[in-house]
Amino acid sequence: MSSIALDFDPMKVSMKLLGTLIIVGSCLNKAPLFLNIINTKSVAGMSPQAVYSECIMYANAAFYSYLQGNPFTAYGETLLITIQTVIVILLMWKFKVEPQVTMNERMIVTSICAVYISFVFCIPTDKLYLLLSINVPVTVFSRGSQIYCYYKEKHTGTQSIITVLMNFTGSAIRVITTINLVGFDIPMLAGYGISLVLNSIMISQFVLYKKNTEQYMIKLKSKKVD
């Protein structure tokens, strides 16, 4: 009984519990965005470059942690969000107009995905850090593309602030859980830190362009009725 008590680490248990809660919450990360797209049949305000690179960003993080042998509670949400981002890509292919997503683009993206997965499992263990090193510029490009899209359009279209808030919160918590469950893994912490900053900029854009977005959505709904 005393040995069990000695092995019990409240901090470690609480970090694992927090990690588990993030994973559970991540199951619904893209749900508000799915509903917005399906209800309006539009992906207005979405940057294709941002979505494609976001998929790579989360996949890199998931593969890195999986191949490193990190506990699932330390990275599970990245795997789940990768799957959800693939669904977002499929919805974008279906509903994007002006211009539509061509068949050539779809074939190129699918081919790159197949090559990418094959490549990841060929990376030597001592070179896995490259996945997260690449993730820093990929994260900047992904979030930066979406930030620029909002800035250019002056509205956030059918995109969901709930999803962005969940990403922001998840990144903040992941900084804490990574330090406690994995240690000071600089590539992982750098990725979460940059996401934290860029997601905060996107949140401010939702607030800044709120009125414009409301007006745009009214116009969009009237077009659908007509």
Side-chain angles (χ1 to χ4, degrees), residues 35-71:
L35 290 173
N36 285 355
I37 293 172
I38 292 168
N39 287 338
T40 62
K41 293 181 171 54
S42 170
V43 290
M46 180 180 290
S47 164
Q49 295 88 348
V51 180
Y52 291 141
S53 49
E54 180 182 43
C55 191
I56 294 171
M57 176 182 76
Y58 282 116
N60 278 351
F63 280 127
Y64 171 82
S65 290
Y66 170 74
L67 295 172
Q68 281 281 78
N70 291 338

Side-chain angles (χ1 to χ4, degrees), residues 221-226:
K221 285 175 183 176
S222 65
K223 282 181 183 177
K224 298 294 179 185
V225 171
D226 296 340

Side-chain angles (χ1 to χ4, degrees), residues 96-109:
K96 189 175 185 301
V97 293
E98 298 177 1
Q100 291 184 327
V101 179
T102 65
M103 186 56 67
N104 281 345
E105 181 178 333
R106 299 181 193 198
M107 290 176 66
I108 290 169
V109 171

Side-chain angles (χ1 to χ4, degrees), residues 5-40:
L6 287 172
D7 290 340
F8 180 75
D9 185 341
M11 179 59 75
K12 196 169 183 180
V13 171
S14 62
M15 288 300 106
K16 284 190 175 181
L17 179 59
L18 199 54
T20 302
L21 289 173
I22 292 175
I23 292 169
V24 172
S26 71
C27 293
L28 301 173
N29 181 270
K30 303 288 185 186
L33 181 57
F34 293 159
L35 290 173
N36 285 355
I37 293 172
I38 292 168
N39 287 338
T40 62

